Amino acid sequence: ETGVTQTPRHLVMGMTNKKSLKCEQHLGHNAMYWYKQSAKKPLELMFVYNFKEQTENNSVPSRFSPECPNSSHLFLHLHTLQPEDSALYLCASSSPPGGLDTQYFGPGTRLTVL
Amino acid sequence: KQEVTQIPAALSVPEGENLVLNCSFTDSAIYNLQWFRQDPGKGLTSLLLIQSSQREQTSGRLNASLDKSSGRSTLYIAASQPGDSATYLCAAPPYNQGGKLIFGQGTELSVKP
């Protein structure tokens, strides 16, 4: 596979469930990002990882827990979510961190919280 | 705090028209200005990236300009086609905020055959 892949593409979960989103990039990048896209709102940056280290947490509630075991993989662990957390979750990667180069986005995971 | 605004929110044009999408930003201290395309329910595809020292970038029928002094960027699409129908997003990474892209809300473009 090439580019940035995300699994699953669609996820429906109850408020008491625990689930994880997975992102994998095949571009040799060292920075990875999680974004949230809610209806009628701009994309919101959630987390930034650079060389596996978290460099940005944009005041995200603790019910979202990121994990970056290596520069190619990024996870978002979800637990006790709220219905307002329903959104499209996008993963991205880039080569130099700091916004100097474009970010490459995955197709997203459409999350619905019941 | 950087804010990015896009006008209009939605645009419908007949096939073949030339069109301009607008993006404005409040803080001119940016590394670059990027334009993305998003198809319904999909991820983002990078279209053009203009470095802060540049005035414009071109790719095929697309031309993006950047005027830092006025805090504006435009995306010009020539001879629009139905396949151009999508949401177009602009984004700017502020200086000293590594990796943080600030996005506008997007312009939803519909090109009618």
Side-chain angles (χ1 to χ4, degrees):
Chain A
E1 292 208 58
T2 59
V4 181
T5 58
Q6 291 186 242
T7 55
R9 295 294 309 278
H10 301 273
L11 178 63
V12 180
M13 58 186 291
M15 293 168 62
T16 58
N17 291 158
K18 289 185 179 181
K19 297 287 184 182
S20 295
L21 310 185
K22 178 182 177 182
C23 175
E24 184 173 0
Q25 58 95 1
H26 310 268
L27 300 168
H29 292 160
N30 47 44
M32 297 188 76
Y33 314 80
W34 278 117
Y35 289 88
K36 175 183 179 182
Q37 187 176 36
S38 304
K40 306 301 182 184
K41 292 178 67 176
L43 270 81
E44 303 172 67
L45 179 68
M46 300 176 72
F47 301 104
V48 180
Y49 278 82
N50 184 29
F51 289 104
K52 305 188 298 179
E53 299 298 320
Q54 187 180 117
T55 57
E56 178 100 17
N57 177 336
N58 197 25
S59 303
V60 181
S62 60
R63 57 185 183 271
F64 295 90
S65 176
E67 178 189 2
C68 189
N70 55 62
S71 292
S72 299
H73 294 85
L74 185 64
F75 296 88
L76 189 62
H77 304 298
L78 316 172
H79 63 98
T80 59
L81 293 192
Q82 305 297 313
E84 59 265 30
D85 297 323
S86 299
L88 181 68
Y89 288 85
L90 292 163
C91 173
S93 70
S94 68
S95 182
L100 298 178
D101 196 4
T102 192
Q103 294 180 15
Y104 294 81
F105 283 78
T109 295
R110 174 68 64 184
L111 173 67
T112 302
V113 182
L114 301 177
Chain B
K1 178 186 173 185
Q2 179 73 275
E3 294 182 6
V4 179
T5 305
Q6 290 186 247
I7 295 174
L11 180 64
S12 181
V13 300
E15 181 177 4
E17 271 203 9
N18 302 325
L19 58 99
V20 175
L21 308 181
N22 297 291
C23 174
S24 61
F25 47 95
T26 55
D27 186 349
S28 62
I30 55 174
Y31 279 121
N32 52 52
L33 193 291
Q34 303 180 34
W35 284 92
F36 293 86
R37 168 183 172 144
Q38 185 176 30
D39 292 286
K42 302 289 182 63
L44 278 64
T45 300
S46 178
L47 296 174
L48 289 164
L49 184 154
I50 314 172
Q51 300 293 351
S52 61
S53 58
Q54 296 175 319
R55 297 281 295 184
E56 63 180 285
Q57 279 286 339
T58 298
S59 176
R61 293 183 294 108
L62 306 179
N63 176 277
S65 68
L66 175 63
D67 184 345
K68 287 178 59 180
S69 62
S70 65
R72 294 181 183 177
S73 176
T74 61
L75 179 67
Y76 175 82
I77 303 178
S80 59
Q81 303 171 358
D84 295 330
S85 298
T87 296
Y88 291 81
L89 298 156
C90 71
Y95 278 126
N96 300 323
Q97 294 190 46
K100 190 168 186 172
L101 276 179
I102 308 298
F103 281 86
Q105 288 189 283
T107 294
E108 186 176 352
L109 174 65
S110 175
V111 181
K112 307 291 187 185

